[in-house]
Amino acid sequence: MPVCPAMRACACARPGCRRPRRYPSDTTGAEWALLAPLLPVPACQTTAGGRPETHCRRAVVDAIRYVTHNGCVWRAVPADFPPWRTVYGLYQRWNASGATLALHDALRAAARQAAGRDVEPTAAVIDSQSVRAAATVPRFSRGWDNAKKVNGRKRHIAVDTSGLLLEVLVTPAGTQDRDAARPLLWNLKRSRRRIRRTWADGGYAGQLLPWAAAWLKLTVEIVKRPDDLHTFTVLPRRWVVERTLAWITSYRRCARDYERPPAHHEATIYWAMITLMARRLARTG
């Protein structure tokens, strides 16, 4: 058996630590070569020190991707993965430390470069999607979307013009789009200072436009649906973000909200996009 290809990201560094690839969600060799250098260094390899990790990082990442892809509970992680408490512990630790977001952003930068684009985008598209919440979602963080007849949460996302995720915000489903757009755009502008223009649908019209122009120096352009339109048609710019929402929903853990803290649902969305971008880069690399 070969030695683990990621000595920096895998604290065990033992011959034969690579588990066989069994599930469609498992990383391929090309995907792991992309992901391994982007994972945080284990504590035992830092100056602060720490206990060496027992399990291979690739097996942990495969387990997280398995849960995201198949939508099972953490306790139902198959026995050929590391123990579910170990997997969930690293999942939480990476989310809390910002390592998941850093991994996602690094892959997005690589995907934009591979497509011949600048690393940092200058325009974005925003939209929202209401999803039903499971019984595990507490009452204080869920709501009722009367327009969609959904009891659950609403995820508000901003994507670049190719559909890659830039920012995500999870709120109760009863939150109006224009109200959630303010913190979404604020976070977007704070992390992506080159953003100058954003497209949105008619639900964002109103006071959001002058507020974004005055406080964020950001132009929000509303892409309206024609009043006389009675058939399906692809609307400019809006189809990009709607396609991204379809990508996210194809992962079963994201098709319904099972997470207690909203931040965990945001992390699940990031892991869905991490999987998607890693696969895309591995095919083109």
Side-chain angles (χ1 to χ4, degrees):
M1 292 291 286
V3 176
C4 176
M7 292 297 187
R8 173 183 172 276
C10 184
C12 60
R14 298 188 307 268
C17 71
R18 183 170 64 88
R19 59 178 285 277
R21 188 170 184 267
R22 293 189 174 94
Y23 307 106
S25 57
D26 285 351
T27 55
T28 63
E31 289 178 56
W32 182 239
L34 291 168
L35 295 174
L38 303 176
L39 292 175
V41 178
C44 65
Q45 297 179 12
T46 63
T47 56
R51 186 172 59 185
E53 296 177 3
T54 305
H55 301 279
C56 180
R57 285 284 184 89
R58 183 172 181 176
V60 172
V61 170
D62 285 348
I64 294 173
R65 287 171 46 137
Y66 181 91
V67 172
T68 304
H69 181 265
N70 296 286
C72 68
V73 297
W74 288 100
R75 292 176 182 269
V77 171
D80 58 323
F81 287 120
W84 75 269
R85 292 184 185 276
T86 300
V87 175
Y88 185 65
L90 279 173
Y91 169 81
Q92 284 187 308
R93 195 183 311 161
W94 291 344
N95 295 343
S97 66
T100 300
L101 181 59
L103 171 61
H104 171 271
D105 289 353
L107 287 176
R108 185 189 61 240
R112 287 181 60 86
Q113 283 185 318
R117 296 170 175 265
D118 291 337
V119 172
E120 290 297 329
T122 58
V125 193
I126 62 174
D127 202 356
S128 67
Q129 181 185 47
S130 296
V131 290
R132 300 186 185 279
T136 52
V137 175
R139 183 179 299 177
F140 72 86
S141 66
R142 63 196 297 161
W144 173 256
D145 184 347
N146 195 51
K148 302 296 179 61
K149 307 303 182 199
V150 170
N151 182 356
R153 285 179 177 153
K154 184 181 288 187
R155 49 196 177 212
H156 310 263
I157 67 170
V159 303
D160 65 9
T161 53
S162 63
L164 299 180
L165 187 65
L166 298 175
E167 199 71 40
V168 60
L169 176 69
V170 174
T171 66
T175 306
Q176 293 294 323
D177 288 352
R178 63 178 66 92
D179 295 333
R182 292 197 177 195
L184 178 70
L185 292 177
W186 184 276
N187 294 337
L188 175 65
K189 188 64 175 181
R190 182 178 58 182
S191 59
R192 312 285 164 219
R193 294 187 178 275
R194 292 186 60 191
I195 296 289
R196 292 291 182 267
R197 180 177 296 273
T198 302
W199 289 274
D201 62 26
Y204 294 91
Q207 294 300 315
L208 176 66
L209 278 65
W211 175 86
W215 289 94
L216 303 179
K217 302 297 186 289
L218 183 66
T219 301
V220 179
E221 183 177 333
I222 302 299
V223 181
K224 294 185 178 180
R225 183 176 182 271
D227 296 332
D228 57 348
L229 185 63
H230 301 290
T231 59
F232 173 78
T233 186
V234 176
L235 298 177
R237 301 297 181 184
R238 283 175 53 177
W239 71 271
V240 174
V241 67
E242 290 167 357
R243 181 185 61 179
T244 303
L245 291 170
W247 288 343
I248 293 170
T249 309
S250 67
Y251 291 83
R252 293 186 178 182
R253 189 79 179 189
C254 299
R256 191 179 180 96
D257 193 348
Y258 299 94
E259 316 300 332
R260 288 183 173 86
H264 280 194
H265 185 68
E266 295 172 4
T268 304
I269 294 173
Y270 281 123
W271 273 106
M273 293 301 296
I274 286 169
T275 304
L276 183 146
M277 289 187 294
R279 286 175 173 171
R280 182 181 298 181
L281 288 167
R283 287 196 300 266
T284 58

